[in-house]
Amino acid sequence: MASTSAEIIAFLLTISGWVLVSSTLPTDYWKVSTIDGTVITTATFWANLWKTCVTDSTGVSNCKDFPSMLALDGYIQACRGLMISAVCLGFFGAVFGLVGMKCTKVGGSDQTKAKIACLAGLIFILSGLCSMTSCSLYANRITSEFFDPSFVAQKYELGAALFIGWAGASLCIIGGSIFCFSIAENSNSPRRGYAYNGAASVMSARTKVHNSVPDKTPPKHFDKNAYV
């Protein structure tokens, strides 16, 4: 029962983390910067993995998509690949996790389901690591440019999408680890042995019945001619 509850908790954690990671990919604010005037913010610059935009004080946004994928910086291409891999791995991990849970009716025996659940945990851990690496790589580029005194272009700060991605990756890693421990709990559970005592029980029952029935055979009396 405890193992089933742990698997349900792990499944909820991993699904929540996968949803957060999936929502991070199209989120706008991966990095953000503002230009402040004397009273109000005159412009807000923000960018993600697909475009860069600017919003003026009236709320009008002008966006520009990245013109060529091959002309992008290497870290943006790496972040795109890692995030797409994280989303795809999370999908397959959710399928394997649903099949490997003990509370479902598919997947075969308990040992087979435990192996499938462990595989789902490894997939979710890999998905979380891909998302964590992508967000950390993007954040490292932002912080290195921000603290570089020789960098004269527009400097950005960390956006909300990075924190959402880190949170989703952490949930995937934690839930995947719980899934991996399920195979250890299943292997340590004692097995019940059943001994077949059918023949012995039948023989003992027959013996008891035979002993319980009194012998009503009349005694035989032989005369002396019977021994000749």
Side-chain angles (χ1 to χ4, degrees):
M1 184 64 183
S3 178
T4 304
S5 302
E7 287 180 351
I8 293 174
I9 294 174
F11 185 75
L12 294 177
L13 289 175
T14 50
I15 290 297
S16 300
W18 177 57
V19 170
L20 290 177
V21 171
S22 301
S23 65
T24 303
L25 190 59
T27 302
D28 294 331
Y29 295 97
W30 278 65
K31 59 181 180 179
V32 62
S33 179
T34 59
I35 297 178
D36 298 328
T38 56
V39 179
I40 60 175
T41 300
T42 58
T44 301
F45 295 88
W46 49 273
N48 58 10
L49 298 178
W50 314 102
K51 59 186 177 181
T52 179
C53 301
V54 58
T55 304
D56 58 15
S57 59
T58 61
V60 178
S61 298
N62 294 318
C63 296
K64 179 182 178 182
D65 296 332
F66 294 133
S68 174
M69 183 182 68
L70 299 179
L72 288 175
D73 294 333
Y75 79 98
I76 295 181
Q77 295 182 4
C79 291
R80 281 184 179 182
L82 289 170
M83 290 303 297
I84 293 173
S85 300
V87 173
C88 295
L89 288 172
F91 173 77
F92 289 108
V95 174
F96 284 115
L98 190 62
V99 173
M101 294 176 64
K102 291 183 179 180
C103 58
T104 57
K105 300 296 183 181
V106 292
S109 61
D110 289 343
Q111 302 236 343
T112 304
K113 291 172 75 68
K115 293 179 181 179
I116 296 175
C118 182
L119 177 61
L122 293 176
I123 293 175
F124 273 119
I125 291 175
L126 186 59
S127 174
L129 290 177
C130 288
S131 177
M132 186 78 70
T133 304
S134 176
C135 294
S136 300
L137 180 63
Y138 200 91
N140 179 67
R141 182 60 178 261
I142 295 173
T143 54
S144 62
E145 291 178 352
F146 187 86
F147 292 106
D148 187 5
S150 61
F151 186 76
V152 295
Q154 182 71 31
K155 294 185 178 182
Y156 291 87
E157 296 183 1
L158 303 180
L162 297 177
F163 298 98
I164 297 175
W166 282 324
S170 301
L171 291 178
C172 287
I173 294 174
I174 294 173
S177 301
I178 298 175
F179 265 130
C180 290
F181 286 132
S182 64
I183 190 171
E185 294 179 1
N186 193 292
S187 60
N188 293 332
S189 59
R191 298 181 180 178
R192 295 181 179 179
Y194 297 94
Y196 179 73
N197 296 325
S201 60
V202 172
M203 293 299 295
S204 60
R206 290 181 178 178
T207 304
K208 290 180 180 179
V209 171
H210 181 72
N211 293 334
S212 61
V213 177
D215 190 6
K216 298 182 180 180
T217 305
K220 297 181 180 179
H221 300 282
F222 302 98
D223 54 3
K224 62 181 179 178
N225 296 325
Y227 300 96
V228 179

